[in-house]
Amino acid sequence: RLLRGLADDAGGVGLDGSRLDLALWVLGTLADYPPATLRAALVNEDDASGLGGSLPVPDASGALVQASEVRFNDAPWLAAPEGVRLSHPKLPSQTAEAVGVRSLRLALLAEASEDIDVQLHGSAEAFGQHEALTTRLKHILDAYADGPGVISELVQNADDAGATEVRLLLDQTPGGDKSLLGPKMARWQGPALVAWNDAVFSPADFHNIARIGQDSKIDRPAAAGRFGLGFNAVYHFTDLPSFVSGDYLVMFDPHATHLPGATPARPGLKIAFGASPLLSQFPDQFAGYLDTFGCDLSASYPATMFRFPLRTDEAARASEIKPEAYTPAQVRALFEQFRERATQTLLFLKNVRKIGVYERGGDSRAPKLVYEVSIPAFQDDKDPRAATLQWVAGNSAFSRGVAPVAAVKKRQFVEKLRTMPEKSLPTSVGWMDVQMRAAETAESLGEDEFSDAKVIVGTSVRRERWLVCSSLAGGKARALALSDTGVSRGLVPWVGVAARVPHPDDDESFVGRRDGRAFCFLPLPVR
């Protein structure tokens, strides 16, 4: 009542010093009440002044207005956007939020993003049995060990999307910590693991990546792992994965504590960045994407780039997903583990022809190659794996970076497999060359924070030749795929075999390997 009396006496004019201090003191006292108690008091209050269930708060000029009409300025590096009225600078942000003033950052996000619940006030709340998203992710990490298999999951998802090239980057470029979407985002502005590929997300991909381990891939016989449970193994590195693809930038916040307005029901943001002012309003937040593999966030991005900021010691202490930090040294070790299987990784992939691993640090924005594996040649320029892929996928070919739009669905595939004579099932054999190009390095002599990096002094090239056979199997394998269990699980009798054979570059001492290992498109830890 005192606040509303002050508002009536002022008649819309700014309060003088003593009255302004009195209003701020009253608001500070009210902010100490439990939110439910304060809301109930406002609803029951007879509002003779016409302010309804909203408290009067001072705007930037000191005039008392409804709390719903102003925003508290938690983005002080920005000039107030046109049409936005700010609360008085003497009103603390914590007090303003408690008495019903909305955040300027949150208001800007609500206007420029999707999939965010901005209803922070109300008398009803969701209720029911549930499992916290962070708990679910923690259990997934228990099933998916950290190691090069996590890199394989990212490569497999890119392959299923029709990508022809994958790049992995350890980015140690320091990020700013001022113009961020939220104060807690500052702890995620350090080193990051970046995963890039030259495919673009489809609308279905945006939908599927937000679903935790649901069987969206079962209906696509040519898909091996696109955004199933395995993708969530990236939470070994981070609590805040994000990516840009096509017209959108997406950020996940499973804790719902870092991004303004994030809730357990909608723990993230989807931003149409081309038409969004957020990039200029929060430049530090998005700087990590710029000048990285051709991304400038000014136009539709014809690729996909994931960014996984590494979990620091500070972030690990607050994490409900994995209370362990992940360091740049661990990422380098992961890259070295993957190097051991990198050439064999390409043997049975459907689309990916090149995988590059890079580092970036210090003042340089240019990624430096660590190593790269690629397929420079096929026998008679014909991929021996293509016939089986085309038969299963239902397309004559994959377009660069685009998964098949007319792909056979599970029901169609089962019927096709059931009716096709066994002798007509596809099979092909041919050799393919796999090349490893690696940077030859020496220890850095510098003593800055990147002194553990390497100085590139040259490159080395090693080539291998592999004989590859790819087929759809008949007999018992086809019978299993056509059984009730096989159909429900989406089994495909797709089989491949590869053997190392002499390459023209090999010397006379070449001896083929006698041991082998199992694959499911990518190498498995089974020999």
Side-chain angles (χ1 to χ4, degrees):
R1 292 181 181 180
L2 177 58
L3 287 173
R4 289 168 181 167
L6 288 172
D8 290 341
D9 291 345
V13 178
L15 301 178
D16 59 28
S18 60
R19 289 175 178 264
L20 177 61
D21 289 342
L22 176 60
L24 293 172
W25 177 82
V26 171
L27 289 169
T29 302
L30 292 173
D32 291 334
Y33 281 87
T37 302
L38 182 57
R39 287 197 299 267
L42 289 174
V43 170
N44 295 328
E45 177 74 18
D46 179 25
D47 183 19
S49 66
L51 292 174
S54 177
L55 281 171
V57 299
D59 68 5
S61 69
L64 288 173
V65 298
Q66 292 186 65
S68 59
E69 294 180 3
V70 294
R71 303 286 182 265
F72 67 86
N73 189 4
D74 55 349
W77 63 89
L78 290 176
E82 185 177 354
V84 174
R85 198 171 186 178
L86 297 178
S87 60
H88 198 279
K90 287 187 176 181
L91 181 66
S93 296
Q94 187 174 1
T95 300
E97 187 171 21
V99 299
V101 180
R102 290 176 63 196
S103 154
L104 176 60
R105 294 194 210 201
L106 187 57
L108 296 173
L109 284 172
E111 293 174 1
S113 64
E114 303 175 21
D115 298 329
I116 181 169
D117 183 359
V118 297
Q119 300 301 318
L120 300 183
H121 305 284
S123 59
E125 61 184 51
F127 180 80
Q129 294 177 314
H130 73 285
E131 179 181 37
L133 177 56
T134 51
T135 301
R136 176 78 167 121
L137 293 171
K138 182 178 180 180
H139 291 162
I140 290 174
L141 296 188
D142 291 338
Y144 283 84
D146 184 20
V150 183
I151 299 296
S152 295
E153 288 287 346
L154 297 171
V155 173
Q156 185 69 73
N157 287 332
D159 191 58
D160 284 337
T164 63
E165 182 178 358
V166 173
R167 299 173 190 167
L168 304 167
L169 168 69
L170 172 57
D171 186 3
Q172 295 195 86
T173 307
D177 59 1
K178 303 300 183 185
S179 52
L180 303 176
L181 293 176
K184 291 184 178 180
M185 298 296 286
R187 65 179 62 158
W188 299 97
Q189 287 295 98
L193 172 60
V194 176
W196 175 95
N197 68 74
D198 61 355
V200 179
F201 263 49
S202 69
D205 290 334
F206 283 105
H207 174 73
N208 291 335
I209 199 170
R211 305 169 73 192
I212 303 294
Q214 299 189 36
D215 291 335
S216 57
K217 66 179 182 178
I218 289 295
D219 198 39
R220 300 194 305 276
R226 201 168 178 188
F227 309 126
L229 283 173
F231 170 77
N232 296 289
V234 300
Y235 287 100
H236 279 296
F237 317 134
T238 188
D239 288 357
L240 283 175
S242 61
F243 69 92
V244 58
S245 186
D247 298 321
Y248 295 97
L249 190 151
V250 173
M251 308 178 78
F252 292 119
D253 179 13
H255 289 86
T257 57
H258 296 83
L259 294 172
T263 69
R266 292 187 175 185
L269 295 174
K270 182 181 177 185
I271 302 168
F273 57 82
S276 172
L278 292 179
L279 305 184
S280 58
Q281 293 167 340
F282 302 95
D284 286 348
Q285 186 67 70
F286 303 105
Y289 287 99
L290 303 180
D291 301 323
T292 305
F293 301 137
C295 181
D296 61 13
L297 296 179
S298 65
S300 183
Y301 188 50
T304 296
M305 181 164 56
F306 290 91
R307 187 172 180 85
F308 308 120
L310 302 184
R311 189 183 293 108
T312 62
D313 289 329
E314 179 188 6
R317 287 191 291 269
S319 178
E320 298 175 7
I321 299 173
K322 187 173 182 178
E324 298 174 20
Y326 212 94
T327 66
Q330 287 174 283
V331 175
R332 288 195 187 95
L334 189 68
F335 286 170
E336 286 305 305
Q337 289 176 295
F338 185 72
R339 185 200 293 252
E340 296 175 4
R341 63 164 74 178
T343 54
Q344 295 182 23
T345 293
L346 293 177
L347 291 179
F348 298 110
L349 290 178
K350 302 179 291 293
N351 302 288
V352 173
R353 302 289 183 266
K354 181 188 293 186
I355 302 173
V357 174
Y358 300 82
E359 280 199 39
R360 178 171 69 185
D363 296 329
S364 173
R365 295 294 297 174
K368 296 181 180 179
L369 179 71
V370 179
Y371 63 86
E372 173 188 277
V373 290
S374 61
I375 302 174
F378 296 106
Q379 183 176 358
D380 300 325
D381 293 326
K382 185 177 181 181
D383 186 344
R385 307 160 302 177
T388 307
L389 170 61
Q390 292 162 4
W391 198 96
V392 174
N395 270 36
S396 60
F398 276 69
S399 299
R400 179 185 178 274
V402 180
V405 295
V408 169
K409 297 296 185 181
K410 180 173 69 174
R411 184 179 302 176
Q412 297 169 299
F413 173 78
V414 169
E415 186 59 28
K416 184 179 179 182
L417 183 63
R418 191 189 310 277
T419 58
M420 183 68 65
E422 190 163 313
K423 64 180 181 180
S424 298
L425 294 175
T427 184
S428 57
V429 180
W431 59 255
M432 55 186 283
D433 287 345
V434 181
Q435 175 176 285
M436 164 72 79
R437 185 165 65 95
E440 295 181 334
T441 60
E443 294 290 340
S444 171
L445 300 179
E447 296 183 356
D448 61 16
E449 62 177 308
F450 302 106
S451 61
D452 60 344
K454 307 291 185 179
V455 176
I456 296 175
V457 296
T459 57
S460 63
V461 177
R462 187 182 79 248
R463 297 180 179 87
E464 298 176 356
R465 178 160 291 179
W466 291 79
L467 188 65
V468 178
C469 175
S470 180
S471 303
L472 271 188
K476 293 181 179 180
R478 180 164 75 162
L480 177 59
L482 294 175
S483 68
D484 291 344
T485 299
V487 172
S488 65
R489 294 182 178 179
L491 300 184
V492 179
W494 197 336
V495 62
V497 180
R500 176 87 182 273
V501 296
H503 187 278
D505 291 348
D506 291 329
D507 57 33
E508 296 180 357
S509 63
F510 170 81
V511 177
R513 293 184 58 168
R514 296 179 182 272
D515 63 333
R517 69 186 307 160
F519 281 65
C520 182
F521 293 102
L522 287 166
L524 298 174
V526 178
R527 289 189 177 273

